[in-house]
Amino acid sequence: MMRNFKIYAYPHVYNNMSKDAFAGIFLPHPNPFNPRLGNYLSEHMFKLSLLRSSLITPIPQHAHFFFLPFSINAMRNDPRIRSESSIAEFVAEYTRRISHQFPFWNASAGADHFYVCCHSVGREAASKHADLHNNAIQVTCSSSFFQKFYVSHKDVALPQVWPRPQDVPLNPPHARHRLVYFAGRIQNSGVRQELVALWGNDTSMDVFEKSPSYPYEEGFRRSKYCLHVKGYEVNTARVSDAIHYGCIPVILSNYYDLPFANVLDWSKFSVVINTGEIPFLKKRLLSITRQMYLSMYHNLCQVRRHFVWHKTPRGYDSFHMTAYQLWLKRSIHRLTY
């Protein structure tokens, strides 16, 4: 892949701010590691990493894929656009514009094109352009089978990563004295409400419906297992947070297309539980032997590098792992330009 895979980014990613009033929607984010970006780091980092990678090509005839460089997060924060309906209109108009200005979209009806989003309103971005929804690849954090605009086996799951210090020393297994950790809002999630109702008062679990009395990160550091529980969206950054801090992810979410699932065996470093099994959560976790836990912890330490972004991409990081998912989909029939 590293030698052969090529991606062409439409030139709007290099727009001049003084000449294009909407240039900021296409340009790389000037400070992608700003903590205020929160859940949307991955959307911006993919673009920055791509432009600094060996995969980018200025010659479209050499490209296997074409990158639509608009940012849903940037549009969401632009008062001229910000509503879901306006974003969908903007994206549809942009797609129509490139189909008239360049020959590449029409050669495949968009099947060798992709865009990246890690914002909840990104689910609706393709809703007003049929070929964009049906043919182009959505690289997204909202990778759930029940999302009406996510198409499993066509689209690509993007890991949702928060800006975190990269070289955090991990607490070893013997220093993890709590069985379970979860903290998060429960208002929009029946699954979280059930979790708190059943396990919120268990003395071996730290399950909070609001912020705990100690720092959020400390819960990951001192616990063996950290819960990923569907909120308003099926995706949250808790999976990558757990991996980052060395806490075995417990994924309580149905129909979740896990990132890199065709490369990583998630059963080796995480626990996946159907939401209907919440009453048996503690029994399930206590049935995991010490040896099995240590094996998962060791494997977790090995996969941590896949859930890290770098401005200049490094081997096997989040950028290259995501690019590999695209590489596997490159056998697209298209007409000659």
Side-chain angles (χ1 to χ4, degrees):
M1 180 192 84
M2 295 297 294
R3 291 192 301 270
N4 299 317
F5 191 29
K6 294 300 175 187
I7 297 171
Y8 175 80
Y10 280 99
H12 313 97
V13 77
Y14 310 107
N15 276 358
N16 187 320
M17 289 287 286
S18 64
K19 295 182 179 179
D20 186 345
F22 290 100
I25 288 169
F26 301 98
L27 293 171
H29 195 284
N31 183 20
F33 285 106
N34 185 336
R36 296 182 62 184
L37 276 181
N39 289 329
Y40 314 122
L41 170 74
S42 294
E43 176 181 313
H44 295 288
M45 284 305 302
F46 182 92
K47 183 188 299 185
L48 183 63
S49 298
L50 173 62
L51 296 178
R52 296 188 177 193
S53 78
S54 62
L55 305 187
I56 199 76
T57 178
I59 306 172
Q61 289 76 13
H62 293 174
H64 298 90
F65 275 102
F66 295 81
F67 175 49
L68 303 168
F70 52 77
S71 166
I72 303 296
N73 183 234
M75 283 187 265
R76 182 63 169 150
N77 291 309
D78 189 320
R80 298 169 295 180
I81 307 173
R82 64 175 296 120
S83 73
E84 293 185 28
S85 178
S86 295
I87 289 172
E89 288 283 4
F90 185 97
V91 169
E93 178 55 34
Y94 176 72
T95 307
R96 286 190 288 267
R97 178 154 56 100
I98 64 164
S99 71
H100 288 115
Q101 292 180 349
F102 303 90
F104 319 123
W105 177 274
N106 295 329
S108 68
D112 53 1
H113 286 58
F114 73 95
Y115 64 97
V116 179
C117 64
C118 212
H119 196 291
S120 57
V121 299
R123 297 171 303 169
E124 305 286 332
S127 62
K128 297 187 178 181
H129 194 291
D131 283 346
L132 183 64
H133 167 230
N134 293 325
N135 301 335
I137 293 173
Q138 179 187 187
V139 180
T140 179
C141 297
S142 296
S143 52
S144 170
F145 298 161
F146 70 79
Q147 300 284 7
K148 62 180 179 179
F149 291 110
Y150 180 80
V151 182
S152 183
H153 307 299
K154 173 180 77 70
D155 296 332
V156 170
L158 182 70
Q160 190 166 13
V161 179
W162 266 72
R164 301 289 185 205
Q166 292 184 8
D167 299 319
V168 176
L170 299 183
N171 271 9
H174 68 265
R176 296 176 178 271
H177 305 297
R178 305 298 292 164
L179 178 66
V180 165
Y181 172 62
F182 172 80
R185 293 179 295 179
I186 67 172
Q187 291 88 339
N188 295 319
S189 172
V191 178
R192 291 185 180 185
Q193 291 168 16
E194 182 183 4
L195 175 73
V196 172
L198 286 172
W199 301 112
N201 294 319
D202 191 285
T203 56
S204 62
M205 297 186 180
D206 286 343
V207 176
F208 303 98
E209 61 177 289
K210 297 180 180 179
S211 299
S213 58
Y214 48 81
Y216 173 77
E217 295 81 1
E218 184 61 24
F220 291 96
R221 292 177 51 80
R222 69 186 196 178
S223 303
K224 293 181 174 67
Y225 300 98
C226 293
L227 305 186
H228 161 94
V229 189
K230 178 184 180 299
Y232 176 71
E233 293 283 344
V234 68
N235 58 297
T236 78
R238 286 176 180 80
V239 173
S240 56
D241 280 347
I243 293 170
H244 178 75
Y245 290 106
C247 187
I248 304 299
V250 178
I251 300 165
L252 280 160
S253 189
N254 302 352
Y255 316 116
Y256 183 25
D257 207 358
L258 290 162
F260 319 142
N262 59 349
V263 178
L264 302 180
D265 184 351
W266 282 77
S267 68
K268 303 295 186 183
F269 61 91
S270 70
V271 181
V272 180
I273 297 178
N274 187 286
T275 54
E277 298 180 84
I278 291 177
F280 312 105
L281 172 64
K282 186 174 183 179
K283 181 179 180 180
R284 173 76 179 275
L285 296 180
L286 290 177
S287 71
I288 297 172
T289 66
R290 175 73 175 172
Q291 184 177 357
M292 291 168 60
Y293 168 75
L294 291 176
S295 176
M296 284 195 290
Y297 180 84
H298 171 76
N299 293 333
L300 185 71
C301 292
Q302 301 303 308
V303 303
R304 288 176 77 229
R305 61 177 174 161
H306 304 317
F307 295 84
V308 177
W309 293 97
H310 303 99
K311 287 186 177 181
T312 300
R314 304 176 191 175
Y316 304 101
D317 66 358
S318 287
F319 171 75
H320 284 114
M321 292 291 285
T322 304
Y324 184 67
Q325 312 308 301
L326 290 166
W327 165 253
L328 295 177
K329 298 176 183 293
R330 70 194 181 283
S331 299
I332 304 294
H333 175 73
R334 65 189 180 198
L335 303 176
T336 303
Y337 299 133

